[in-house]
Amino acid sequence: MATPRILRFAMLLAGAAATFAAAGIGSLASAAPPPFRLQEATIAQIQGAIIAKQITSVQLVKLYLARIKAYNGTCVKEPQGILGPIQTIAHAGQLNALMTLNLRPATRKAMGFDERKARSMTDSVDSDPGMPDALEVAAAQDREFARTGKLVGPLHGVVMAIKDQYDTFDMRTTDGADAFYANDRPPADATFVKRLRAAGAIILAKANMAEYAAGGARSAFGGTACDPYDTQRSPNASSSGSGTSVAANLVTCAIAEESSSSIRGPAVANNAVGLAPTVELVSRKGMIQSGIHTRVGPICRTVKDAARILDVIAGYDPQDELTVFSVGRTPTKPYAGFADGKRLDGVRIGVLREYMDKRKFTKADEESIDIVDRAIGDLRKLGATIVDPGPEGALFQGCVSRLAPQLRNAALAKQFPKLFPVDEKGKATTDHVVTLLDMTLDASKVPEEVTIRDLGTSQAPGEGKFMMDRYLLQRGDANIKSNTDLINKARFYDDPHFPDRKKTRETADEAREFDMSVRLQTRFAVQQIVLACMQEQKLDAVTYPTSNLPPPPLDGPNPPSLNGRGVVWTFLGQQGFPAITVPAGFTTKIYDWVRDPTVPPPPPPADGSGGGNPREGTRMVDAVPATLPVGIDFLGRPFDEPTLLRIAAAYEAATRHRIAPPDFGPVAGEP
């Protein structure tokens, strides 16, 4: 029998189209905009209300703060304190999405926020006039608007949260860690944060996150974050607070970070839009432990809003060497201009059935696959040409089998030692070149495990230590100067339900070499394979479920990886392809996993991190009714964000699957 909560959600689903039609996208040119409503407000609606003098920036910030006050409390039981094991709470009514608020001490206290939400733990006075808080920034914005009658920039009135992995000169930045910096504020903003402020964005908070961006919605300083659609579940991946704060309307948009799935993962769990752009498009300067896979991107409630954020943060930065590849490769008109279309005539979209073949997965994967199958039908109705190899087909396998032996070569040999034997000194005992040639000329000789789901690991030994130490040396703190200091001068949580973050740092500290060669080779190989297949089939983009599985319980194990599938599909995004996730619907039932000591534990992750690896095996339990978001990914060529935005916006406009979490409605005094 359906529970009252599921019935309530079903009614919300049924009324979604009407709700969105009533809200409208709005235009700054509208003569008489509808009365302003904070929940689900878009950038256009906020700015329309400001221009119509229905609301000021200060009033807007205060409305968001009222929601933060109502919904941002602790969402789990902590019987041994913030660092001890947690116990989940059904319908907790709280989310713990934001760890730090951009408020002066007196203002923070007057509003009833505790000291742990302070802008700085090392500057209790916090009186520097050159460091205005969010309300002071909003007041200055209001004065300028009153003086000129014009918005100060394209993001005037846009209230944002920034993942704690990124530098903000006015707020503490520690990657979620409870580390004892001499000055917990970095000396300068990250490059993209500077650009957001210059465009008029109001930075209200630092978002909670998985400590050191390593998975699991928990940090030593911020505590545990919860999913607004089920507070006993994870909000998915390290940028959990960014996604949750957007879903519950605590901010307009948020900035997340993705090394594998931490933009799209939180977005899908929070029924939001997550844009993971081409790595080289947005500067990583001011990011703790940036790397070749890490990318900066927005989570918003609409495609158009995500595009507007990208317009501000994209572009070359001489302080980030990777962004030089973006020069000459950005569109001549704003990204937001590509998010207005309603039709997809002439667009060719491939279906990545390798991620949707039910034979390769479990019963738990099937409903999400079916929902995305329906979404593919919606794309076809919008005029798109769908290139589909069939339910058990493979879109890219021909290119993988033909090109992987040549492009992966020695890495492929290490992946399959039985086919490429070596002696005790690592010297080949057969002619590996001949074996690779045989595979190149006869695809049937390529191991069946070689698919686009996973072309082998692409870890870079020493990267974690090198990037962390580089960041800390550039930051120049008097107390925290290295990864070793983070181990010795910080507090860590201790909970068997979550990965051991101290161990992760200790493992990184053991590195004595830094080798990017295999990672770069994998990236080059996968890009060439995918681009070749897209060109041969004349594809503009490919599509697949963002995740085959809903987010797991906070106190339960992650589902075991199977045929390259984790909680979220990550492999292609890691190789530099831009991707965007859009809400595609909701589950009706879910299957979870539980720990089972009678089942052997899986092997540790190939990168040696131990992150998230359970201490015993797991087994799947029977389905239970549940209404949780499902997302669809669109992935394209590097720097082809315009095509992805066009596809995503048309699909969003036609389907309108975004629904605010029902447990976090309007608060007292909210219009």
Side-chain angles (χ1 to χ4, degrees):
M1 179 179 293
T3 65
R5 184 171 184 268
I6 292 173
L7 291 172
R8 180 184 176 196
F9 221 144
M11 289 188 288
L12 283 169
L13 286 166
T19 300
F20 271 90
I25 293 301
S27 168
L28 294 184
S30 298
F36 179 70
R37 180 174 181 266
L38 182 67
Q39 260 203 309
E40 302 296 284
T42 66
I43 293 174
Q45 290 166 345
I46 288 170
Q47 293 180 342
I50 289 172
I51 288 173
K53 299 183 180 179
Q54 294 179 345
I55 195 169
T56 67
S57 293
V58 168
Q59 291 170 339
L60 182 70
V61 171
K62 287 182 177 179
L63 287 173
Y64 279 122
L65 284 168
R67 292 187 61 81
I68 293 168
K69 178 66 176 172
Y71 294 135
N72 195 56
T74 303
C75 56
V76 295
K77 296 177 183 177
E78 299 172 337
Q80 298 179 35
I82 193 171
L83 299 177
I86 62 121
Q87 299 169 6
T88 62
I89 305 172
H91 300 287
Q94 302 295 325
L95 295 169
N96 197 31
L98 304 173
M99 69 166 68
T100 300
L101 298 178
N102 193 3
L103 297 173
R104 298 274 189 199
T107 304
R108 174 180 53 76
K109 293 175 184 176
M111 290 187 169
F113 295 108
D114 64 47
E115 292 185 0
R116 206 163 181 85
K117 292 291 185 286
R119 297 205 297 176
S120 171
M121 306 301 287
T122 58
D123 177 14
S124 58
V125 177
D126 191 10
S127 59
D128 185 347
M131 224 175 259
D133 73 2
L135 285 168
E136 292 165 348
V137 169
Q141 200 168 93
D142 288 339
R143 290 193 296 270
E144 186 65 12
F145 178 72
R147 186 180 69 83
T148 66
K150 298 178 180 179
L151 302 179
V152 301
L155 298 183
H156 183 121
V158 178
V159 177
M160 299 192 66
I162 308 293
K163 185 178 182 180
D164 192 48
Q165 192 173 358
Y166 300 117
D167 285 352
T168 47
F169 85 103
D170 49 358
M171 284 184 283
R172 66 185 309 279
T173 302
T174 69
D175 220 6
D178 194 2
F180 305 126
Y181 285 81
N183 181 359
D184 57 13
R185 287 173 168 141
D189 278 336
T191 296
F192 77 84
V193 174
K194 289 181 184 177
R195 292 176 178 177
L196 289 172
R197 294 192 206 264
I202 300 169
I203 311 300
L204 179 58
K206 300 301 285 289
N208 201 359
M209 59 178 287
E211 190 167 339
Y212 297 116
R218 181 172 184 175
S219 65
F221 187 83
T224 304
C226 299
D227 189 318
Y229 294 88
D230 181 344
T231 55
Q232 292 185 289
R233 293 185 175 273
S234 168
N236 255 4
S238 70
S239 303
S240 52
S242 297
T244 301
S245 61
V246 170
N249 289 273
L250 307 184
V251 292
T252 314
C253 289
I255 296 293
E257 170 275 335
E258 178 159 313
S259 297
S260 57
S261 63
S262 287
I263 294 172
R264 295 171 300 112
V268 67
N270 287 284
N271 199 219
V273 174
L275 173 58
T278 308
V279 172
E280 298 91 341
L281 187 59
V282 182
S283 174
R284 303 158 302 151
K285 173 62 178 175
M287 176 194 293
I288 299 178
Q289 65 192 62
S290 64
I292 191 68
H293 286 179
T294 53
R295 46 186 169 173
V296 183
I299 298 177
C300 299
R301 290 180 292 273
T302 69
V303 174
K304 185 65 171 279
D305 282 1
R308 288 184 170 184
I309 301 297
L310 184 63
D311 272 319
V312 169
I313 64 177
Y316 172 64
D317 175 16
Q319 297 186 88
D320 182 353
E321 62 281 358
L322 274 183
T323 59
V324 72
F325 289 100
S326 71
V327 175
R329 303 179 76 178
T330 54
T332 55
K333 72 175 186 178
Y335 287 105
F338 296 93
D340 288 325
K342 307 297 183 187
R343 296 285 302 171
L344 294 175
D345 301 282
V347 177
R348 288 175 63 87
I349 303 173
V351 181
L352 198 60
R353 287 291 174 182
E354 290 91 327
Y355 290 1
M356 302 173 66
D357 185 344
K358 293 179 181 179
R359 299 173 303 168
K360 304 292 184 182
F361 309 116
T362 70
K363 291 185 297 183
D365 299 69
E366 292 181 359
E367 187 172 21
S368 292
I369 291 172
D370 290 341
I371 288 171
V372 171
D373 255 332
R374 291 197 291 272
I376 291 165
D378 293 330
L379 294 168
R380 189 178 282 112
K381 292 175 184 176
L382 292 171
T385 298
I386 302 300
V387 180
D388 189 348
E392 297 180 355
L395 188 71
F396 287 154
Q397 191 58 48
C399 294
V400 170
S401 297
R402 186 176 76 248
L403 297 175
Q406 172 187 335
L407 296 173
R408 292 288 285 152
N409 48 77
L412 189 69
K414 290 179 180 178
Q415 188 178 352
F416 298 97
K418 291 183 179 179
L419 298 177
F420 299 89
V422 297
D423 61 23
E424 65 277 3
K425 295 182 179 180
K427 186 175 181 179
T429 58
T430 62
D431 193 333
H432 291 188
V433 175
V434 170
T435 304
L436 289 167
L437 281 169
D438 287 345
M439 290 180 177
T440 300
L441 297 175
D442 184 355
S444 68
K445 295 182 179 180
V446 176
E448 64 178 14
E449 297 93 336
V450 180
T451 75
I452 203 64
R453 287 188 293 270
D454 187 354
L455 282 173
T457 59
S458 58
Q459 300 304 318
E463 183 184 26
K465 180 180 180 180
F466 179 90
M467 293 301 185
M468 179 64 82
D469 283 359
R470 185 184 73 166
Y471 168 83
L472 293 171
L473 288 168
Q474 291 174 338
R475 178 163 171 165
D477 189 75
N479 194 41
I480 303 291
K481 302 177 182 179
S482 67
N483 184 71
T484 306
D485 286 338
L486 290 174
I487 297 168
N488 297 327
K489 300 177 181 180
R491 298 193 305 164
F492 295 87
Y493 62 75
D494 183 10
D495 186 338
H497 297 129
F498 292 85
D500 185 338
R501 291 299 167 231
K502 186 173 185 179
K503 180 62 177 176
T504 303
R505 298 261 56 85
E506 290 172 341
T507 300
D509 222 38
E510 293 170 1
R512 294 296 180 267
E513 296 180 349
F514 178 27
D515 183 1
M516 287 283 288
S517 58
V518 175
R519 176 165 285 188
L520 291 172
Q521 180 198 20
T522 300
R523 195 168 189 264
F524 175 82
V526 175
Q527 285 202 5
Q528 188 165 345
I529 289 168
V530 171
L531 291 173
C533 255
M534 290 183 70
Q535 186 64 23
E536 289 171 12
Q537 299 179 74
K538 297 182 173 59
L539 301 178
D540 297 298
V542 300
T543 190
Y544 52 89
T546 308
S547 171
N548 287 15
L549 303 172
L554 282 165
D555 58 356
N558 281 336
S561 180
L562 179 63
N563 285 316
R565 184 266 286 138
V567 176
V568 177
W569 286 107
T570 65
F571 180 71
L572 281 180
Q574 285 183 317
Q575 315 313 319
F577 293 95
I580 186 170
T581 183
V582 183
F586 291 84
T587 63
T588 60
K589 63 181 183 299
I590 56 169
Y591 298 80
D592 284 324
W593 276 258
V594 295
R595 293 179 174 85
D596 187 341
T598 67
V599 178
D607 62 1
S609 68
N613 191 47
R615 293 165 188 172
E616 62 254 354
T618 60
R619 60 180 173 84
M620 190 170 67
V621 295
D622 291 339
V624 295
T627 307
L628 295 171
V630 175
I632 183 171
D633 260 17
F634 302 106
L635 180 141
R637 294 176 175 85
F639 299 103
D640 199 11
E641 281 79 2
T643 295
L644 298 184
L645 291 166
R646 177 189 173 191
I647 296 169
Y651 173 75
E652 175 190 60
T655 59
R656 297 296 186 188
H657 290 299
R658 162 69 193 171
I659 295 176
D663 286 354
F664 298 91
V667 301
E670 185 178 319

